[in-house]
Amino acid sequence: MNRLETSKSSDGGKEKADFKPVVGIAIVSLLIGGLFFPLLITGIAQVVFPTQANGDLVRINGQVVGSSNIAQNFTLPIFFHERVESQSASGLDPDITVQMADVQIPGISNATGISASALQQLVNKNIDPEGQFTDLQYVNVLSLNLQLIQDYPSAYPGYT
C-alpha cells in the first residue's frame, strides 16, 4: 500500500490520510528555501560584493552617517533636501534632479554664507556620471551634503 494515499485505521476500517511525508517535505523545503539558500547567497554576496551587500554605507571618521542608496532625512536649511514624496514613488530615492538642487541653492547660500556660484559648482561636480548625457540629470543628496561639509567646514562646525 502506498503511504501517501490512505491507510486503514484500527477503528473499524475507516481510512485515514497519512500526512507525515508531506509534512516532512514541507519542513525540508522550508529549511532549504527559507534558511540555507538565503544564508548561502548572503555569504557569497559578502565575499564578492561586500560594500553593496552591506547597503553602500557611507562613513565619516569610521562612523556610519547613512547609505548612498536610501534618502536621508535632512531637515536643516544648511543642507540639500531629498525629493518630496509626490516626486518619488517610495520617498526613499537618494537622488534629486539638478533642477531641484538648483532651486535649493539660494536658501542654502543664505543659511551658510557660501556663495551661490560655489554651490552651483558643487552641484555640477556631483552630477551622476551615468546620466550625464540625458535630459534629466541627478545628484545624490547624501554625497552632495557630505561634500559641503568637507569643503566648507567653517559653515558646518558641528559636522566635521
Side-chain angles (χ1 to χ4, degrees):
M1 172 183 286
N2 187 345
R3 292 195 69 184
L4 286 178
E5 295 176 2
T6 56
S7 60
K8 291 192 176 197
S9 66
S10 60
D11 61 353
K14 293 183 181 175
E15 294 187 5
K16 178 173 131 181
D18 187 3
F19 292 107
K20 288 179 185 177
V22 174
V23 171
I25 290 172
I27 290 172
V28 169
S29 297
L30 181 66
L31 287 174
I32 291 172
L35 184 64
F36 298 127
F37 184 73
L39 287 174
L40 174 69
I41 296 301
T42 302
I44 292 170
Q46 288 292 330
V47 171
V48 179
F49 305 109
T51 302
Q52 295 88 340
N54 290 316
D56 285 326
L57 299 178
V58 177
R59 300 175 191 274
I60 295 180
N61 300 327
Q63 183 178 4
V64 175
V65 295
S67 169
S68 61
N69 293 332
I70 299 177
Q72 310 301 307
N73 188 17
F74 292 101
T75 57
L76 298 176
I78 60 175
F79 291 115
F80 286 93
H81 298 91
E82 70 276 356
R83 298 182 200 200
V84 293
E85 285 187 33
S86 62
Q87 293 173 331
S88 174
S90 66
L92 300 174
D93 192 350
D95 302 321
I96 58 174
T97 62
V98 171
Q99 292 80 10
M100 183 177 280
D102 291 346
V103 168
Q104 297 179 42
I105 287 175
I108 295 169
S109 178
N110 289 336
T112 62
I114 302 169
S115 72
S117 63
L119 290 169
Q120 185 66 59
Q121 288 176 351
L122 187 68
V123 168
N124 292 341
K125 282 190 338 187
N126 281 281
I127 293 173
D128 181 8
E130 290 181 16
Q132 201 169 19
F133 302 105
T134 62
D135 290 339
L136 278 178
Q137 296 177 328
Y138 293 92
V139 292
N140 183 284
V141 176
L142 180 60
S143 297
L144 192 58
N145 287 333
L146 291 176
Q147 191 71 50
L148 272 174
I149 293 168
Q150 180 180 339
D151 291 356
Y152 302 97
S154 61
Y156 299 92
Y159 298 96
T160 55

